[in-house]
């Protein structure tokens, strides 16, 4: 009966991975908005399908469009570095994706109609991963879930319930942190470290 000695965590991860692959395959053929014409690759996700935390960014940039992987450019490298400094492993603790899967030209903000036509992919990702916490990274992701009138400086660090009662929190976007170098107390970088440290504690408490 050794074949029944499966690890439940691995099995769940495999099932989620297969379901996500099906959604990704549909997304690869997507022509639902004009961004399909200019994309090199869709940028679907990175990280672990069964991760406790799902990080949702804004939209792919040039490096992500070229590689098909989210958060690999300058902003992504800063994010990865800050995650590591706070003890969060990008590959095992997080499932990473964006509000939209194709790069907007000149890195402009995603248009409302682009977010709407891409929302079915994001909703499918949330439904399959069922994270214990969603981290909305930056104003675009936060506004998509919490409303357009909010100011990121007022909502970061707060706890919200979104999408069928999944806890969510908001952090500054690493592109913003690239323009704000200070690490003084209460600076955006200092606050982000504080937020990431709280997220690490949340992950550890699940174990
Ligand atoms: N910025 C984002 O919001 N997402 C990426 O994948 C890269 C940069």
């Amino acid at each position: 009966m050794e074949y029944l000695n499966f690890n439940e965590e691995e099995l769940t991860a495999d099932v989620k991975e297969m379901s996500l692959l099906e959604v990704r395959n549909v997304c690869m053929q997507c022509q639902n908005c004009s961004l399909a014409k200019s994309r090199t690759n869709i940028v679907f996700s990175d990280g672990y399908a069964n991760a406790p935390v799902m990080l949702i960014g804004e939209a792919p940039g040039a490096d992500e469009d070229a590689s098909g992987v989210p958060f690999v450019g300058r902003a992504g490298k800063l994010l990865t570095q800050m995650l590591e400094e706070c003890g969060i492993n990008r590959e095992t603790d997080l499932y990473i994706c964006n509000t939209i899967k194709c790069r907007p030209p000149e890195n402009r903000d995603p248009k409302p109609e682009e977010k709407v036509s891409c929302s079915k992919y994001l909703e499918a990702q949330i439904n399959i991963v069922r994270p214990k916490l969603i981290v909305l990274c930056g104003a675009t992701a936060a506004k998509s879930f919490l409303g357009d009138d909010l100011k990121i400086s007022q909502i970061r660090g707060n706890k919200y319930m979104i999408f069928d009662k999944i806890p969510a929190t908001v952090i500054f976007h690493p592109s913003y942190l690239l323009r704000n170098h200070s690490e003084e107390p209460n600076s955006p970088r200092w606050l982000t470290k504080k937020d990431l440290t709280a997220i690490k504690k949340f992950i550890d408490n699940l174990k």
Side-chain angles (χ1 to χ4, degrees), residues 43 57-61 64 69-72 75-76 98 137 173 175:
V43 178
E58 176 180 327
E64 291 77 18
V69 183
F71 284 108
V72 290
N98 284 303
C137 182
H173 195 282
S175 303

Side-chain angles (χ1 to χ4, degrees), residues 52-57 88 94 131-143 145-146 150 152 154-163 165-173 191-192 194-200 202-203:
V53 177
M54 181 164 180
L55 184 138
I56 304 176
I88 300 173
L94 298 185
K132 303 280 188 295
L133 176 72
I134 291 179
V135 177
L136 301 169
C137 182
T140 298
K143 287 178 179 179
F145 288 89
L146 304 174
L150 296 166
I152 182 122
Q154 286 161 357
I155 58 173
R156 69 133 280 283
N158 294 347
K159 186 176 154 200
Y160 298 90
M161 287 293 179
I162 61 170
F163 207 85
K165 303 197 190 77
I166 300 178
T169 191
V170 179
I171 62 170
F172 288 121
H173 195 282
L191 290 168
T192 304
K194 187 174 152 205
D195 294 338
L196 294 178
T197 303
I199 292 165
K200 166 69 177 158
F202 175 90
I203 295 168

Side-chain angles (χ1 to χ4, degrees), residues 33-206:
C33 81
S34 62
L35 298 181
K37 291 186 187 63
S38 53
R39 75 174 173 234
T40 310
N41 289 295
I42 63 153
V43 178
F44 191 74
S45 68
D46 193 25
Y48 182 39
N50 199 27
V53 177
M54 181 164 180
L55 184 138
I56 304 176
E58 176 180 327
D63 293 306
E64 291 77 18
D65 177 65
S67 63
V69 183
F71 284 108
V72 290
R74 274 183 73 224
K77 289 198 171 82
L78 176 61
L79 175 68
T80 306
Q81 180 198 319
M82 293 182 82
L83 288 167
E84 279 170 9
E85 284 168 8
C86 296
I88 300 173
N89 185 316
R90 168 178 170 140
E91 297 304 323
T92 56
D93 292 327
L94 298 185
Y95 179 83
I96 303 179
C97 60
N98 284 303
T99 54
I100 64 168
K101 311 305 182 211
C102 297
R103 182 193 180 203
E106 316 300 330
N107 295 345
R108 63 158 170 74
D109 287 348
K111 293 182 181 167
E113 63 269 26
E114 292 161 355
K115 289 206 262 181
V116 168
S117 65
C118 222
S119 62
K120 63 178 175 187
Y121 302 117
L122 181 57
E123 285 178 19
Q125 287 172 306
I126 297 171
N127 273 324
I128 294 166
V129 176
R130 297 308 296 177
K132 303 280 188 295
L133 176 72
I134 291 179
V135 177
L136 301 169
C137 182
T140 298
K143 287 178 179 179
S144 295
F145 288 89
L146 304 174
D148 271 335
D149 300 332
L150 296 166
K151 279 192 99 131
I152 182 122
S153 53
Q154 286 161 357
I155 58 173
R156 69 133 280 283
N158 294 347
K159 186 176 154 200
Y160 298 90
M161 287 293 179
I162 61 170
F163 207 85
D164 195 17
K165 303 197 190 77
I166 300 178
T169 191
V170 179
I171 62 170
F172 288 121
H173 195 282
S175 303
Y176 176 67
L177 302 180
L178 281 174
R179 303 190 295 273
N180 290 274
H181 295 269
S182 169
E183 302 206 353
E184 293 290 304
N186 295 315
S187 65
R189 283 194 188 215
W190 186 90
L191 290 168
T192 304
K193 284 257 179 88
K194 187 174 152 205
D195 294 338
L196 294 178
T197 303
I199 292 165
K200 166 69 177 158
K201 203 167 159 201
F202 175 90
I203 295 168
D204 286 346
N205 284 342
L206 295 171

Side-chain angles (χ1 to χ4, degrees), residues 20-30 42 44:
L20 288 165
L21 206 56
E22 281 180 29
V23 181
R24 182 189 211 122
N25 286 340
V26 176
C27 187
M28 281 171 73
Q29 308 301 324
C30 182
I42 63 153
F44 191 74

